[in-house]
């Protein structure tokens, strides 16, 4: 069973709808369509990540197969890989933590931050989105679902760099994230060592 949560394909609006709806509906039942349809400028990673935490459906990434942008296609393939490797395995039994308030759909929005954590607290995927009304490029992400007694490896997807931290340190100090521009995002993959 699933529900297409909105007919609106604009990634930031669909993302804000998903953020609110997933307070009462499990993410595996929310179908999120993503593609090139967008009324605001957004980087390709923002568009892809806006659909990753639900049932990930892709359509319309280019006007035709001949017009596909090769670097863009590589990012879409990377997004599919992230979904298959890290998100889909934990989705059926995960906990989804909302780090930002529900968005007023009449306004452009500030930040949407979502943390999907496996049932055993050994892995998590975090998406951070800086929306049009955000005034600050900085966000300190403090995980809610990780086990404070474990040590974790954290991958910053934008930089393809990783580092390790204790769960308690992550809970208390968090991870400072800088997203330079609006309609940009970051994705963290967190795995117990």
């Amino acid at each position: 069973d699933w529900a297409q949560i909105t007919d609106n394909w604009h990634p930031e609006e669909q993302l804000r709808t998903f953020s609110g709806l997933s307070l009462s509906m499990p993410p595996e039942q929310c179908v999120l369509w993503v593609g090139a349809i967008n009324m605001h400028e957004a980087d390709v990673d923002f568009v892809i990540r806006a659909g990753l935490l639900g049932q990930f459906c892709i359509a319309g990434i280019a006007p035709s197969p001949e017009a596909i942008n090769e670097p863009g296609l590589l990012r879409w393939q990377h997004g599919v890989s992230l979904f298959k490797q890290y998100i889909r395995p934990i989705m059926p039994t995960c906990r989804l933590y909302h780090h930002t308030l529900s968005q007023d759909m009449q306004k452009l929005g500030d930040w949407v931050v979502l943390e999907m954590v496996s049932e055993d607290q050994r892995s998590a995927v975090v998406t951070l989105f800086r929306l049009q009304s955000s005034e600050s490029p900085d966000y300190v992400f403090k995980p809610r679902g990780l086990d404070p007694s474990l040590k974790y490896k954290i991958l910053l997807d934008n930089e393809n760099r990783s580092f390790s931290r204790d769960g308690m340190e992550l809970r208390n100090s968090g991870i400072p994230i800088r997203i330079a521009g609006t309609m940009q995002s970051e994705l963290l993959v967190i795995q117990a060592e």
Side-chain angles (χ1 to χ4, degrees):
D1 294 336
W2 54 271
Q4 184 174 334
I5 63 169
T6 179
D7 288 335
N8 189 337
W9 279 30
H10 302 303
E12 75 284 358
E13 293 181 17
Q14 186 167 198
L15 170 67
R16 294 186 300 155
T17 300
F18 173 72
S19 179
L21 186 62
S22 61
L23 289 166
S24 62
M25 190 171 178
E28 69 270 16
Q29 292 182 350
C30 298
V31 171
L32 300 169
W33 285 93
V34 292
I37 300 170
N38 187 9
M39 67 180 179
H40 302 292
E41 278 191 35
D43 71 16
V44 69
D45 286 322
F46 185 103
V47 175
I48 295 164
R49 292 169 181 163
L52 281 178
L53 297 187
Q55 290 298 332
F56 188 46
C57 297
I58 302 169
I61 66 169
S64 69
E66 299 78 30
I68 291 178
N69 171 293
E70 190 63 31
L73 179 60
L74 292 174
R75 294 313 298 165
W76 282 100
Q77 291 170 337
H78 177 70
V80 170
S81 177
L82 288 171
F83 180 77
K84 287 180 176 180
Q85 185 174 357
Y86 299 109
I87 299 167
R88 187 168 57 193
I90 69 173
M91 187 182 290
T93 58
C94 76
R95 288 197 167 210
L96 186 64
Y97 295 88
H98 296 73
H99 288 263
T100 48
L101 299 173
S102 291
Q103 300 287 314
D104 180 344
M105 295 304 286
Q106 302 301 315
K107 298 179 181 174
L108 291 178
D110 189 14
W111 285 83
V112 172
V113 179
L114 300 166
E115 172 188 6
M116 181 179 277
V117 182
S118 65
E119 188 174 35
D120 63 4
Q121 299 179 298
R122 297 188 61 79
S123 63
V125 175
V126 179
T127 53
L128 301 99
F129 298 90
R130 184 174 174 207
L131 302 180
Q132 299 98 323
S133 291
S134 170
E135 295 179 7
S136 172
D138 299 309
Y139 187 92
V140 178
F141 169 71
K142 292 186 177 181
R144 294 184 188 158
L146 300 180
D147 185 335
S149 68
L150 296 177
K151 186 173 182 106
Y152 292 94
K153 180 178 178 181
I154 298 99
L155 169 71
L156 301 169
D157 191 50
N158 286 354
E159 300 176 31
N160 194 26
R161 292 186 177 199
S162 59
F163 59 95
S164 296
R165 293 282 187 278
D166 292 326
M168 184 59 81
E169 182 183 351
L170 288 170
R171 181 182 283 182
N172 292 334
S173 301
I175 303 167
I177 300 293
R178 177 168 280 245
I179 299 176
T182 60
M183 298 302 289
Q184 295 181 353
S185 63
E186 176 64 276
L187 183 137
L188 312 177
V189 176
I190 304 173
Q191 299 283 312
E193 293 186 326

